[in-house]
Amino acid sequence: MNPSEETFYGGRNAAYDQAAKKVLSQKKILALILNRMVEEFKDATIPDIITKYIEGTPLISQIPVHPDQTNPTLKHIHGDNVEDGSLSEGIIRYDILFRALVPNTNEPIMLIINIEAQNDINPGYSLLKRATYYASRMISSQRGRDFQGDEYDKIRKVYTIWICMNAPKETGNSINRYRVTEEHLHGRYHADETQYNLINIVMLYLGNRKTQDKLMEMLRIIFKEEAPASVKKKQLEENYDIHLTEDETKELNNMCNLSEGVYNNGFHNGYNSKAKESLQNLIKNT
């Protein structure tokens, strides 16, 4: 790949990431994710999650991950998302960041949903360790915002949910959850789970095969199925009762136009200058 092709490829990937995040950040889709992945919402109805529990409107924004950068921005949001929207980067951090209220208690929890659209789930480091770092940062960044001094009882629970787009065959269609648990090494004392179960990591590995899991199949249709936006929209309406607005349909169409399938057909399989120019225009208009 020559330098001009590499620049074009990187720009297309970043544009696709941005379009995918806009699709995923719709409350209708987030509600299904919460219902399936977050134990606090397993008994809540989808309409209630949308109208009562997701706080604010998740947006694509800029929330730095590292210390001394997170809080100045987070202090001004109550239902927002990501870190960086630059088209020059292929991997975007804090893709979707928002708060939700726990049913029956109205206690807020912080949720991070990240989309990993890279071809390799082993990008030279452990994605699971990176997810642990993100979750830890969302805990430590609460100091000075959600609690002061030694008010540690005010720490909010954190979930980080990673959707890995291109998982290997042996990993695809898998969902793993990681969290702090209590082990009894001696004695019978039991601590209240709410005192230590603060960090929750969920890794969802999308595969190419159809699956009986409702959420995974919905995400596979949106992100993996090689089909035009009109077909995907119809499947979402008929199978998941998700009716996209005109603006949401435009986002889905934009994402599909920037998808790997369109890119591979237009770029690697004998693309011409018009195909390349068309994709570049899509990137500029994202």
Side-chain angles (χ1 to χ4, degrees), residues 226-244:
E226 294 186 5
S230 58
V231 173
K232 295 186 178 186
K233 180 181 178 182
K234 184 177 181 181
Q235 288 180 293
L236 292 175
E237 291 174 350
E238 294 179 350
N239 300 331
Y240 301 94
D241 198 29
I242 295 177
H243 299 272
L244 301 180

Side-chain angles (χ1 to χ4, degrees), residues 51-154:
T51 60
K52 295 181 180 180
Y53 303 131
I54 295 178
E55 189 179 36
T57 302
L59 302 170
I60 304 301
S61 186
Q62 292 191 359
I63 308 299
V65 176
H66 302 301
D68 302 322
Q69 298 176 332
T70 305
N71 281 347
T73 309
L74 273 175
K75 285 180 179 178
H76 301 287
I77 68 168
H78 294 286
D80 302 337
N81 12 43
V82 315
E83 179 204 17
D84 186 67
S86 170
L87 290 182
S88 65
E89 294 189 17
I91 300 175
I92 311 298
R93 297 174 175 84
Y94 279 1
D95 288 343
I96 302 171
L97 172 64
F98 64 102
R99 292 182 183 232
L101 301 176
V102 177
N104 302 321
T105 68
N106 282 336
E107 285 290 322
I109 58 176
M110 187 76 73
L111 298 110
I112 310 167
I113 298 181
N114 293 279
I115 303 174
E116 284 298 317
Q118 57 197 18
N119 290 325
D120 188 358
I121 65 169
N122 298 302
Y125 56 83
S126 166
L127 283 181
L128 185 54
K129 286 187 176 180
R130 179 176 162 189
T132 302
Y133 172 71
Y134 281 20
S136 300
R137 280 294 304 130
M138 291 315 302
I139 290 287
S140 64
S141 67
Q142 293 179 37
R143 184 182 179 90
R145 186 184 71 249
D146 295 302
F147 73 95
Q148 306 292 332
D150 59 358
E151 298 175 322
Y152 296 108
D153 284 341
K154 293 184 179 181

Side-chain angles (χ1 to χ4, degrees), residues 33-53:
I33 293 174
L34 293 184
N35 182 250
R36 176 68 176 86
M37 300 288 197
V38 180
E39 58 185 351
E40 286 86 351
F41 297 93
K42 65 180 181 180
D43 297 321
T45 66
I46 299 302
D48 278 352
I49 295 175
I50 294 172
T51 60
K52 295 181 180 180
Y53 303 131

Side-chain angles (χ1 to χ4, degrees), residues 252-267:
L252 180 64
N253 187 66
N254 188 38
M255 188 195 76
C256 290
N257 286 338
L258 288 163
S259 69
E260 290 288 350
V262 171
Y263 175 74
N264 288 336
N265 288 335
F267 191 85

